[in-house]
Amino acid sequence: AAPLQAGKSPFSTDEKLTSREDVTSYNNFYEFGTGKDDPAAKAKSLKTSPWTVKVDGMVGKPAEFAVEDLIKSSALEERIYRMRCVEGWSMVIPWVGFPLADLIKRVEPLGSAKYVAFETAYRPEEMPGMDTLFPVLEWPYVEGLRLDEAMNPLTILAVGLYGETLPNQNGAPIRLVVPWKYGFKGIKSITRISFVDKQPPTSWNKQAPSEYGFYANVNPSVDHPRWSQATERRIGEGGLFVKRRPTLMFNGYAEQVASLYTGMDLRKLY
Amino acid sequence: MAGRASAPGAKGLALPHVPKILVYIIGFVPAVWLFYAGIMDQLGADPMRYLEQALGLWALRFLVATLAITPLRQLFNINLLRYRRAIGLLAFYYAALHLITYLVLDQGLDGAAIVADIVKRPYITIGMATFVILVPLAVTSNNAAIRRMGGQAWAKLHKLVYVAAIGAVLHYILVVKSWPLEPLIYAAIVAVLLGYRLFRSLVKKPSPRRRTA
């Protein structure tokens, strides 16, 4: 991991950081296996340099960006965000990245573009979790945002954490971070970003549509069909005797994002 | 759960007789290690969840082991009947520790949240029901209970272990996201162990032991 220079951001929380050890050893990245420790153990095999992100679809200036150029040409910021996993645990992570909106402006989306679709690398030979008898998900991993969600200043493309480039298990070299949504929306190791006019398919929604919606906004009042979302465990807090804390609407980012969903029934559009 | 361990004429390989207390001592090693490692903060980033899941998994493993004892004897002539009660009780003790961890450490004895979980979450409903089924089996896992109930009634009651095994694997499958391999492997093992009994009961209708003529 190489050091990264990053400015401070007013969007950062001052909550206590989850330790770097926990942030980099307790991960969901099913391309490397379903165990929480699989990504840290197996993601070294992913070659993250050189790496390009193809931006295409309904844009005036489609382009391929080398991640190192994106890092050089962007004003990197540290964004200390809460991260809430759909499984009921949470962390506070000091990401380093830049607003997705910056990249979107560079490619000049057409008026017809309504959604942004993302795709993770498809490299079974470097990603051992993809090469299993029964695939746990349909590969490659895909995610999506509505264009206004993608343009929200909270939405970032992260290239680092704890002041250094991303470890592979956290989605190197570039990943999405959308702090008011469940963690699985934060697609890792992105190779392609497409602008489209229809709601794009998303991996977990395809796997179990009744359990994972397209929006996946953190919402304590809409339970996952199999478990409650009312509370969460903050990783690294209290050890064996961790106390659950109430989950906040939009993961505590309601002030910045609630207006995106005015008039929507969030029980149906979960 | 418990076997008539001292049944005379038990056939099978001449296995060394291990004192049953040793089965309990070895059986409790994972639990002691888990609690010790948990207190020493050696269970990773999410120690409560690790402890909860590991205890549940050990309960399932011991449950599977009790179900394996009859086929082992009938198919491979390996007789471990005298340990079945201990292994079955270990399954119960681990299930109890798993439940206590959920109630105390996971939910912090929040009655409302626990009741909501039991009523609304299928995997918790099934898990609780499975534990409730194990209670009478554990309580009657002693010679006095067998005498009091009579062998036939006792054996009938203990067939509930089949239901418990199905409940345990369902509970496991429903708690995970997607379809990872491990819970499916346990489900397959339980299916084989129960399927074997079903097959045998269909094929060998009259019990050979009853043929007296």
Side-chain angles (χ1 to χ4, degrees), chain A residues 22 26 28 30 34 86-87 134 136 204 207 212 223-228 233 235-236 239-242 244, chain B residues 35 38-39 45-49 51 105-107 117 120-123 173-181:
Chain A
D22 286 349
Y26 191 76
N28 280 325
Y30 279 16
T34 54
V86 74
E87 297 165 348
F134 306 105
V136 282
W204 279 102
Q207 206 277 330
Y212 312 100
D223 286 340
H224 182 279
R226 287 185 284 148
W227 55 79
S228 166
R233 280 170 294 114
I235 297 298
L240 214 47
F241 306 98
V242 57
R244 284 175 177 273
Chain B
F35 279 106
I39 285 161
D46 202 354
M48 191 288 299
R49 193 186 185 96
L51 175 74
L105 295 180
D106 190 344
Q107 295 297 331
D117 259 3
K120 285 162 77 177
R121 321 280 166 225
Y123 82 93
I173 286 174
L174 284 175
V175 73
V176 295
K177 298 192 309 185
S178 185
W179 299 94
L181 207 52

Side-chain angles (χ1 to χ4, degrees), chain B residues 44-127:
Chain B
D46 202 354
M48 191 288 299
R49 193 186 185 96
Y50 188 98
L51 175 74
E52 189 177 49
Q53 291 178 348
L55 290 170
L57 202 50
W58 278 106
L60 178 56
R61 286 173 184 149
F62 284 117
L63 207 52
V64 166
T66 60
L67 290 177
I69 284 173
T70 292
L72 277 179
R73 188 169 55 93
Q74 290 171 345
L75 296 176
F76 303 103
N77 227 10
I78 299 169
N79 191 343
L80 298 170
L81 258 189
R82 72 182 236 106
Y83 308 113
R84 187 165 65 180
R85 175 184 292 171
I87 296 170
L89 282 169
L90 280 167
F92 172 75
Y93 295 139
Y94 272 90
L97 290 173
H98 172 63
L99 175 63
I100 290 167
T101 302
Y102 162 75
L103 295 174
V104 179
L105 295 180
D106 190 344
Q107 295 297 331
L109 289 175
D110 179 342
I114 292 164
V115 170
D117 259 3
I118 293 171
V119 176
K120 285 162 77 177
R121 321 280 166 225
Y123 82 93
I124 293 188
T125 316
I126 292 170

Side-chain angles (χ1 to χ4, degrees), chain A residues 14-61:
Chain A
D14 54 9
E15 285 173 71
K16 187 172 178 287
L17 299 183
T18 303
S19 74
R20 182 202 296 249
E21 166 69 18
D22 286 349
V23 170
T24 58
S25 67
Y26 191 76
N27 307 100
N28 280 325
F29 197 167
Y30 279 16
E31 282 84 340
F32 298 99
T34 54
K36 292 281 184 293
D37 44 1
D38 283 335
K42 298 175 186 170
K44 285 174 192 70
S45 53
L46 180 67
K47 287 191 213 69
T48 58
S49 175
W51 191 284
T52 55
V53 180
K54 186 178 181 182
V55 185
D56 62 4
M58 298 171 165
V59 288
K61 292 182 173 173

Side-chain angles (χ1 to χ4, degrees), chain A residues 74-249:
Chain A
S74 304
L76 296 183
E77 290 176 36
E78 182 182 64
R79 295 280 181 105
I80 304 171
Y81 282 160
R82 289 177 289 276
M83 204 282 295
R84 170 64 156 77
C85 178
V86 74
E87 297 165 348
W89 51 269
S90 64
M91 294 183 175
V92 177
I93 305 173
W95 301 107
V96 176
F98 54 89
L100 175 59
D102 290 0
L103 181 86
I104 293 177
K105 284 171 200 154
R106 283 161 77 167
V107 296
E108 297 175 7
L110 306 178
S112 50
K114 297 283 180 277
Y115 293 89
V116 188
F118 302 84
E119 208 173 288
T120 293
Y122 179 85
R123 298 186 192 171
E125 65 288 355
E126 294 177 30
M127 299 170 135
M130 295 175 77
D131 197 14
T132 54
L133 192 56
F134 306 105
V136 282
L137 290 169
E138 195 182 320
W139 311 116
Y141 196 92
V142 288
E143 258 305 338
L145 294 172
R146 225 168 50 192
L147 188 59
D148 58 343
E149 297 177 317
M151 292 294 292
N152 188 277
L154 285 180
T155 306
I156 60 166
L157 287 173
V159 293
L161 57 81
Y162 266 102
E164 295 182 349
T165 52
L166 284 174
N168 286 5
Q169 61 267 34
N170 294 87
I174 188 162
R175 64 166 293 166
L176 183 68
V177 177
V178 195
W180 72 92
K181 292 176 181 283
Y182 292 116
F184 67 85
K185 292 295 287 185
I187 184 169
K188 302 183 176 90
S189 306
I190 299 169
T191 54
R192 187 174 173 201
I193 301 175
S194 297
F195 290 76
V196 293
D197 58 353
K198 292 200 174 58
Q199 184 176 302
T202 59
S203 282
W204 279 102
N205 181 249
K206 282 194 289 181
Q207 206 277 330
S210 62
E211 302 191 356
Y212 312 100
F214 173 79
Y215 287 95
N217 292 318
V218 175
N219 189 338
S221 59
V222 175
D223 286 340
H224 182 279
R226 287 185 284 148
W227 55 79
S228 166
Q229 295 292 25
T231 58
E232 66 199 49
R233 280 170 294 114
R234 183 62 56 81
I235 297 298
E237 192 180 73
L240 214 47
F241 306 98
V242 57
K243 259 203 163 59
R244 284 175 177 273
R245 52 167 72 211
T247 288
L248 305 173
M249 188 64 202

